[in-house]
C-alpha cells in the first residue's frame, strides 16, 4: 500500500481490515458507518468520512475508540488509507454491493467472469470494452466508466488529504467544485482551500503549498495572501482596503516585497477576483462580492427612496393611529410616521427612551389602515423576540424571513427569497439596523418587491455590525434617504438611570457614579481580582438571592477577551460558580475550556451545513455567528453534544466544538442586537481601541432592568472621554452622497 507522507500529524490507534458491510452512508458529505473484518480476525464498527465505501475494500485507519450508547464500541477514523480488492472474488463483492451506479450483482458477475482481477483497471481505463459483454450497450458502458472514474478521483483525493493531515471534509467539497480534475487543480494551487467554501485556514493551505514545493514568493502564494488579508479585514468590518495598506499587510504576513504584493493585486484585478475603485480619494481594493454588495445596496436604496402612492393621506392616517392608540405623539414622532408612509425607504434612529417603539407601533397602525402586508425582522433571534413582545406582531430573523439555506453545489449561502421569488410584504420594518452588514442588506433589498417600503430602525451610536460595512451610520451621514432622529427622552424614561446614563455617555458626559441606585449601580473595584470576586458573587448569590434575578437572566459583558476580567477568564470562573461539575453532568475538554451539560454557549462562526430541529419537528440547516443557546445533552460515547437555541436545537460532533465558545460572559461587540434583564459590566483594563465611548454606550444600552458596572472608575471615565473609534473602510456613504452631488 502506497502512502503519501508529509511528516508530522498526531499519533492515534491504527486498525486494518476489510469492509464487511456499509451500515450508513451520506452522499452529501461522505460520512459513513462501516462494519469491518479486522486483519486479526475480529470485527469492528468504523465511522468517518469515506465516500463510496463498499464491501471488499481494505482499509488502514488511524483514530480513536469510543463507545456509543446505542451502537456500542466504534472506531472514529481521522485518517484513512483505502485499497481496492485485487482478486476476482473481492472485486465481485465490491461491484455487486451497489457502490457503482448501473452495476448490480448480475452485471458485476458478468464483468468479473470476463475480466477477472483486471476488472477494475478496465472500468477506469478501457470502459468501452464492457460493450462487448452481453446486456451492456455502449451507452451503459460509458456511464459505468464515468461513474467509476468519479469514484477513483475522489478516493485518490481523500488519500492525499489524509496523508497531508487535512480534514477530509474539505476533499468532498473540493470534488463538488472540480470533479475528476480536483487533484490536478489542488496541486496547481493548494491555496484555493482557504476560500470561504472550503474553510481551511490560510496557515493550513500555506503549509501544504510549501511542502508541495511552492516558493515563498510564488505568484499563487502572494495572491492567496492578498485574498486572505481582504477576507480577514472583512470579518473586522472593512468592505475594502486601500491598495497601499493592503500591499504592506501582505509583506508583513509572508515576507515578500511591496512590488510583489502590488503585482499580485494587479493580477487579481485582471482576473476579476478583486475590484479597484476610487473612494474618497483612496485607491480601494475590494473582494468582488463586497464590491457588488456595496454598489447594489447603494443603487437599490437610491431607486427606492422616492415617494409612493398613499403618502398624500399620511396626516389623515396619523390622526386615526393616534386615536386608536389613545395617545398624542411628539412632533418628531409624528414626522417619522408621515415620512415612513410617504417614502420607499425611511430611517428611524434614536437612543433609549426616545420613543422608537411607540413610533414603530404607530407606523404599523397606519400601515394596517392602508391594507399593507408588513414583515418585522431583526438580525438576531433575541432581537426579533424582543421586537415581537414590544409590538404584539410576529417578527423573525432576517435569515428566516429570506428563507436562508446552503447550496452545496454552489458552495454559497443562498436565500430562497430574491428578485425572482420576492417577499410578499408591502413593507419591511428592520430593527437593530446598525448591526446589519452590507451583504445581508443586499440580500434583503434584492428580495423586496417593487414598490415595497423599507423602514430601518436602530441606534446609530451603537457599535456597527460585526460583518463588513457601517450601514446605518453611512446611510444617515449621506443624507440620501429620509430619516428622523428622536432625541427627547420621555418623562417615564427619565426615571431610569440606565437610560439617563446612556445619554450622558453619548454626549461625552460622565454619569454620577458615587450615588448609584435605582437600576444603575457602579461598584468600584480597581484591582482585577477584586472585580472578578464581586462579579462572581453578583451572579451566583447577590442578584438571584437579593433581587430575584435568576442567573440565566444575567449577562456579563466585557470590552475585552484577555486579562482577569476578560471574557476568557470570566467564562472559566463563572462556569465554576454557576455550573460546577456534578454527578450526571457529562463534560468534554476542548481547547482551554471544558464544555459541560447545562453550559451557556455561543456559535462563533456561520455554519450553513449544521442541521437543526424545531420543537414542531421542522428540520433545517444553518446556525449563525452570535446565536446563543444552552448545552442540553452531551454524549461522550457518541462524541456529540446538543445545543438548544431560542427556537431550535442542533447536534454538534466534537470536531465542531471549535465553533462554540462559552457565553456566561461575552464581549460587548458580541452582545449587539441583544438586550438582557440584567447586565454586569466588567471594566478594569483593555486595549485602548476597545476602551471607547461607543463600546461603553453599547454595553449600557444592553440592560433592560438592571445594570451593574464593576471595576475602575478611571477606566469608566476614559471610555466616556474617548470618542475615537476604528475607521471602517466602506464606500456606501460616498456612493449614496454622490447621487445628490
Amino acid at each position: 500500500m502506497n502512502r503519501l507522507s508529509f511528516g508530522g500529524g498526531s499519533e492515534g490507534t491504527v486498525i486494518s481490515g476489510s469492509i464487511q458491510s456499509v451500515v450508513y452512508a451520506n452522499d452529501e458529505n461522505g460520512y459513513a458507518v462501516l462494519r469491518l473484518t479486522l486483519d486479526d480476525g475480529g470485527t469492528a464498527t468504523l465511522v468517518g468520512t469515506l465516500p463510496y465505501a463498499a464491501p471488499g475494500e481494505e482499509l488502514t485507519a488511524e483514530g480513536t475508540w469510543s463507545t456509543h450508547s446505542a451502537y456500542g464500541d466504534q472506531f472514529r477514523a481521522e485518517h484513512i488509507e483505502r485499497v481496492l480488492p485485487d482478486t476476482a472474488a473481492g472485486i465481485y463483492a465490491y461491484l455487486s454491493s451497489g457502490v457503482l451506479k448501473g452495476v448490480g450483482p448480475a452485471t458485476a458477475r458478468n464483468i468479473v467472469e470476463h475480466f477477472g482481477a483486471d476488472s477494475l483497471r478496465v472500468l477506469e481505463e478501457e470502459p468501452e470494452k464492457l460493450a462487448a459483454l452481453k446486456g451492456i450497450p455502449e451507452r451503459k458502458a460509458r456511464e459505468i466508466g464515468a461513474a467509476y472514474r468519479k469514484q477513483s478521483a475522489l478516493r485518490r483525493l481523500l488519500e492525499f488529504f489524509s496523508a497531508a493531515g487535512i480534514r477530509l471534509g474539505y476533499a468532498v467539497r473540493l470534488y463538488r467544485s472540480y470533479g475528476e480534475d480536483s487533484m490536478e487543480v489542488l496541486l496547481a494551487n493548494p491555496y484555493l482551500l482557504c476560500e470561504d467554501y472550503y474553510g481551511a485556514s490560510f496557515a493550513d493551505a500555506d503549509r501544504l503549498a510549501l511542502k508541495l514545493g511552492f516558493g515563498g514568493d510564488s505568484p499563487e502564494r502572494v495572491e492567496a495572501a492578498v485574498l486572505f488579508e481582504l477576507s480577514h479585514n472583512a470579518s473586522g468590518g472593512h468592505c475594502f482596503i486601500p491598495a497601499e495598506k493592503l500591499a504592506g499587510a501582505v509583506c508583513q504576513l509572508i515576507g515578500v516585497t511591496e512590488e510583489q504584493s502590488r503585482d499580485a493585486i494587479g493580477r487579481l484585478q485582471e482576473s476579476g477576483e478583486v475590484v479597484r475603485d476610487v473612494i474618497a480619494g483612496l485607491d480601494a481594493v475590494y473582494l468582488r462580492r463586497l464590491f457588488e454588495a456595496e454598489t447594489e445596496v447603494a443603487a437599490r436604496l437610491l431607486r427606492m427612496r422616492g415617494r409612493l402612492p398613499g403618502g398624500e393621506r399620511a396626516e389623515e392616517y396619523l390622526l386615526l393611529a393616534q386615536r386608536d392608540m389613545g395617545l398624542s405623539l411628539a412632533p418628531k414622532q409624528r414626522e417619522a410616521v408621515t415620512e415612513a408612509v410617504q417614502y420607499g425607504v425611511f430611517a428611524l434612529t434614536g437612543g433609549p427612551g426616545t420613543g422608537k417603539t411607540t413610533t414603530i407601533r404607530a407606523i404599523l397602525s397606519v400601515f394596517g389602515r392602508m391594507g399593507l402586508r408588513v414583515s418585522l425582522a431583526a438580525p438576531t433571534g433575541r432581537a426579533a423576540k424582543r421586537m415581537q413582545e414590544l409590538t404584539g406582531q410576529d417578527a423573525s430573523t432576517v435569515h428566516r424571513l429570506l428563507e436562508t439555506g446552503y447550496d452545496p453545489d454552489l458552495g454559497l449561502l443562498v436565500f430562497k427569497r430574491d428578485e425572482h421569488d420576492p417577499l410578499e410584504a408591502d413593507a419591511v420594518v428592520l430593527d437593530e439596523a446598525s448591526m446589519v452588514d452590507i451583504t445581508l442588506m443586499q440580500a434583503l433589498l434584492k428580495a423586496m418587491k417593487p414598490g415595497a417600503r423599507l423602514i430601518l430602525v436602530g441606534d446609530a451610536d451603537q457599535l456597527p455590525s460585526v460583518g463588513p460595512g457601517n450601514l446605518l451610520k453611512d446611510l444617515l451621514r449621506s443624507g440620501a434617504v429620509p430619516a428622523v432622529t428622536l432625541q427627547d427622552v420621555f418623562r417615564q424614561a427619565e426615571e431610569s438611570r440606565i437610560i439617563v446614563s446612556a445619554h450622558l455617555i453619548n454626549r461625552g458626559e460622565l454619569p454620577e457614579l458615587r450615588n448609584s441606585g435605582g437600576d444603575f449601580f457602579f461598584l468600584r473595584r480597581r484591582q482585577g481580582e477584586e472585580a472578578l470576586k464581586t462579579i462572581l458573587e453578583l451572579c451566583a448569590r447577590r442578584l438571584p438571592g437579593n433581587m430575584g434575578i435568576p442567573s440565566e437572566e444575567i449577562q456579563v459583558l466585557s470590552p475585552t477577551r484577555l486579562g482577569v476580567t476578560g471574557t476568557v477568564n470570566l467564562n472559566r470562573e463563572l462556569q465554576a460558580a454557576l455550573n460546577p461539575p456534578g454527578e450526571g453532568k457529562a463534560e468534554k475538554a476542548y481547547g482551554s475550556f471544558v464544555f459541560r451539560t447545562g453550559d451557556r454557549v455561543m456559535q462563533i462562526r456561520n455554519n450553513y451545513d449544521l442541521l437543526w430541529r424545531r420543537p414542531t419537528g421542522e428540520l433545517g440547516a444553518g446556525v449563525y455567528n452570535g446565536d446563543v443557546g444552552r448545552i442540553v445533552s452531551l454524549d461522550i460515547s457518541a462524541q456529540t453534544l446538543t445545543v438548544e437555541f431560542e427556537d431550535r436545537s442542533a447536534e454538534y460532533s466534537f470536531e465542531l466544538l471549535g465553533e462554540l465558545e462559552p457565553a456566561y460572559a461575552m464581549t460587548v461587540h458580541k452582545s449587539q442586537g441583544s438586550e438582557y434583564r440584567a447586565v454586569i459590566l466588567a471594566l478594569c483594563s483593555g486595549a485602548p481601541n476597545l476602551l471607547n465611548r461607543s463600546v461603553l454606550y453599547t454595553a449600557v444600552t444592553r440592560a433592560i432592568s438592571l445594570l451593574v458596572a464593576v471595576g475602575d472608575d478611571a477606566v469608566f471615565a476614559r471610555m466616556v472621554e474617548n470618542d475615537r473609534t476604528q475607521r471602517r473602510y466602506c464606500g456606501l456613504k460616498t456612493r449614496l452622497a454622490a447621487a445628490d452631488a
Side-chain angles (χ1 to χ4, degrees):
M1 182 184 304
N2 295 322
R3 174 170 181 169
L4 296 169
S5 178
F6 292 92
S10 59
E11 293 295 328
T13 303
V14 177
I15 63 171
S16 296
S18 61
I19 299 178
Q20 182 185 107
S21 63
V22 179
V23 179
Y24 171 81
N26 185 319
D27 292 338
E28 284 297 311
N29 57 24
Y31 180 81
V33 180
L34 312 173
R35 289 293 294 169
L36 300 184
T37 298
L38 299 176
D39 291 346
D40 63 7
T43 61
T45 299
L46 179 146
V47 296
T49 301
L50 207 73
Y52 307 121
E57 284 191 76
E58 294 182 1
L59 304 179
T60 295
E62 181 181 327
T64 56
W65 288 100
S66 65
T67 303
H68 191 283
S69 57
Y71 304 113
D73 291 341
Q74 293 183 338
F75 188 82
R76 301 186 71 86
E78 297 297 330
H79 302 291
I80 304 173
E81 298 171 0
R82 306 170 69 171
V83 175
L84 291 175
D86 56 6
T87 66
I91 293 172
Y92 172 73
Y94 175 74
L95 293 179
S96 64
S97 69
V99 69
L100 202 59
K101 184 179 179 182
V103 178
T107 302
R109 186 174 301 280
N110 196 5
I111 293 172
V112 174
E113 284 179 352
H114 281 78
F115 300 109
D118 201 32
S119 295
L120 297 183
R121 187 198 64 78
V122 171
L123 288 176
E124 183 164 11
E125 299 176 7
E126 301 177 285
E128 65 276 3
K129 286 186 175 181
L130 299 178
L133 305 182
K134 184 179 179 181
I136 303 182
E138 285 188 22
R139 179 183 58 80
K140 185 174 181 181
R142 289 194 301 270
E143 290 175 350
I144 292 173
Y148 186 78
R149 285 194 301 274
K150 175 182 178 181
Q151 292 189 15
S152 296
L154 182 53
R155 187 181 302 111
R156 284 192 291 270
L157 194 64
L158 287 166
E159 290 172 354
F160 180 85
F161 273 58
S162 181
I166 303 173
R167 281 182 57 183
L168 299 183
Y170 301 151
V172 178
R173 291 185 172 187
L174 185 67
Y175 191 86
R176 285 200 195 117
S177 298
Y178 296 103
E180 295 175 28
D181 298 326
S182 296
M183 181 63 76
E184 183 180 349
V185 170
L186 179 65
L187 293 176
N189 184 11
Y191 291 102
L192 64 85
L193 289 177
C194 51
E195 293 178 7
D196 288 345
Y197 174 45
Y198 307 112
S201 68
F202 176 81
D204 285 341
D206 194 41
R207 186 165 53 250
L208 174 61
L210 295 176
K211 287 176 180 178
L212 290 173
F214 282 78
D217 60 352
S218 66
E220 295 86 357
R221 186 176 193 237
V222 186
E223 289 170 18
V226 170
L227 295 174
F228 167 76
E229 286 292 348
L230 288 171
S231 295
H232 177 72
N233 281 280
S235 66
H238 301 289
C239 290
F240 70 83
I241 299 295
E244 183 179 350
K245 286 183 175 291
L246 178 59
V250 170
C251 294
Q252 187 172 5
L253 177 68
I254 59 172
V256 295
T257 67
E258 288 201 17
E259 182 179 2
Q260 289 170 321
S261 297
R262 289 192 294 269
D263 289 345
I265 294 170
R267 290 192 300 272
L268 290 169
Q269 182 183 1
E270 290 177 9
S271 69
E273 292 180 75
V274 305
V275 178
R276 293 175 83 161
D277 199 4
V278 178
I279 297 293
L282 297 174
D283 180 6
V285 184
Y286 289 82
L287 290 170
R288 174 165 289 280
R289 64 180 177 85
L290 294 182
F291 175 79
E292 291 175 349
E294 189 176 90
T295 53
E296 185 168 13
V297 166
R300 287 182 179 271
L301 288 174
L302 291 170
R303 284 201 301 270
M304 292 172 63
R305 65 177 176 167
R307 290 180 179 271
L308 294 179
E312 65 278 358
R313 299 182 61 187
E315 291 293 340
E316 173 190 346
Y317 289 133
L318 173 61
L319 290 173
L320 293 171
Q322 291 182 108
R323 186 192 67 185
D324 292 344
M325 297 172 67
L327 53 78
S328 179
L329 298 177
K332 275 291 185 181
Q333 291 178 305
R334 293 197 295 270
E335 180 186 348
V337 175
T338 56
E339 292 204 358
V341 172
Q342 294 180 69
Y343 296 101
V345 180
F346 170 70
L348 173 65
T349 70
T354 57
K356 290 198 302 293
T357 299
T358 301
T359 307
I360 294 170
R361 289 173 53 215
I363 291 171
L364 294 176
S365 176
V366 169
F367 284 172
R369 285 192 168 275
M370 296 173 67
L372 302 181
R373 289 170 295 186
V374 182
S375 291
L376 307 184
T380 67
R382 188 180 289 270
K385 183 179 181 181
R386 178 72 172 164
M387 190 182 194
Q388 184 168 310
E389 292 169 349
L390 293 174
T391 63
Q393 298 191 24
D394 290 339
S396 72
T397 64
V398 181
H399 286 90
R400 192 170 183 185
L401 178 69
L402 298 177
E403 300 179 38
T404 309
Y406 186 71
D407 188 323
D409 295 323
L410 295 176
L412 297 171
L413 172 66
V414 295
F415 303 94
K416 178 182 176 183
R417 298 294 187 170
D418 57 17
E419 61 265 54
H420 306 296
D421 184 15
L423 297 169
E424 297 174 359
D426 302 304
V428 173
V429 180
L430 177 61
D431 199 11
E432 296 287 357
S434 63
M435 65 177 299
V436 176
D437 67 31
I438 197 72
T439 55
L440 188 57
M441 179 54 65
Q442 177 193 26
L444 177 60
L445 292 175
K446 287 173 69 174
M448 295 187 65
K449 66 183 181 182
R453 292 169 167 82
L454 175 64
I455 313 299
L456 298 168
V457 183
D459 186 343
D461 294 313
Q462 289 184 19
L463 291 168
S465 59
V466 174
N470 200 353
L471 180 82
L472 185 60
K473 192 165 288 187
D474 281 354
L475 188 147
L476 295 171
R477 287 174 174 173
S478 73
V481 301
V484 169
T485 299
L486 303 178
Q487 296 177 316
D488 296 333
V489 179
F490 286 88
R491 185 172 60 188
Q492 60 269 34
E494 288 180 339
E495 298 173 2
S496 166
R497 293 197 68 234
I498 294 174
I499 291 175
V500 171
S501 298
H503 285 277
L504 288 171
I505 291 166
N506 205 27
R507 294 197 299 266
E509 301 175 28
L510 183 65
E512 177 56 59
L513 301 181
R514 288 173 297 179
N515 297 323
S516 297
D519 56 8
F520 174 87
F521 294 85
F522 182 83
L523 305 180
R524 190 173 72 179
R525 305 289 188 272
R526 289 183 170 168
Q527 299 301 317
E529 292 294 345
E530 292 180 351
L532 174 63
K533 181 180 178 182
T534 299
I535 291 168
L536 296 176
E537 289 177 351
L538 288 167
C539 290
R541 183 174 56 82
R542 292 167 62 177
L543 295 189
N546 299 341
M547 303 189 72
I549 302 176
S551 59
E552 58 266 22
E553 294 184 19
I554 303 168
Q555 183 61 58
V556 178
L557 300 180
S558 175
T560 182
R561 291 178 58 84
L562 305 179
V564 176
T565 56
T567 58
V568 173
N569 188 58
L570 280 168
N571 273 310
R572 280 196 294 262
E573 297 289 343
L574 285 165
Q575 182 198 43
L578 302 176
N579 188 32
E583 187 175 349
K585 286 185 185 179
E587 57 183 44
K588 166 65 178 177
Y590 188 91
S592 61
F593 189 73
V594 177
F595 290 96
R596 186 174 297 137
T597 304
D599 279 340
R600 188 188 307 173
V601 292
M602 174 187 287
Q603 177 79 13
I604 60 172
R605 64 176 61 94
N606 291 337
N607 184 329
Y608 310 121
D609 292 327
L610 190 61
L611 298 176
W612 49 253
R613 181 188 296 271
R614 297 194 194 281
T616 60
E618 177 190 353
L619 295 174
V623 180
Y624 306 108
N625 185 10
D627 287 350
V628 175
R630 187 172 298 277
I631 298 175
V632 293
S633 67
L634 197 155
D635 190 330
I636 295 296
S637 60
Q639 297 196 20
T640 62
L641 61 79
T642 300
V643 178
E644 189 174 274
F645 294 101
E646 191 82 37
D647 58 351
R648 65 207 192 285
S649 61
E651 184 178 270
Y652 291 73
S653 64
F654 283 174
E655 66 179 14
L656 292 178
L657 290 183
E659 298 186 1
L660 291 173
E661 66 178 27
Y664 295 101
M666 66 177 70
T667 63
V668 178
H669 284 80
K670 287 288 189 181
S671 73
Q672 288 172 260
S674 297
E675 291 181 314
Y676 311 93
R677 180 178 175 185
V679 166
I680 298 174
L681 177 60
L683 293 175
C684 283
S685 62
N689 64 310
L690 296 174
L691 300 180
N692 62 54
R693 186 184 303 169
S694 184
V695 169
L696 181 59
Y697 175 75
T698 300
V700 170
T701 54
R702 298 308 87 206
I704 298 172
S705 302
L706 179 68
L707 172 73
V708 183
V710 181
D712 190 340
D713 51 352
V715 171
F716 196 111
R718 283 203 305 272
M719 293 181 77
V720 173
E721 294 171 2
N722 180 14
D723 64 349
R724 289 176 293 181
T725 56
Q726 183 181 13
R727 177 181 182 180
R728 288 196 169 194
Y729 290 112
C730 310
L732 182 63
K733 173 191 169 186
T734 301
R735 298 182 193 283
L736 291 172
D740 294 328

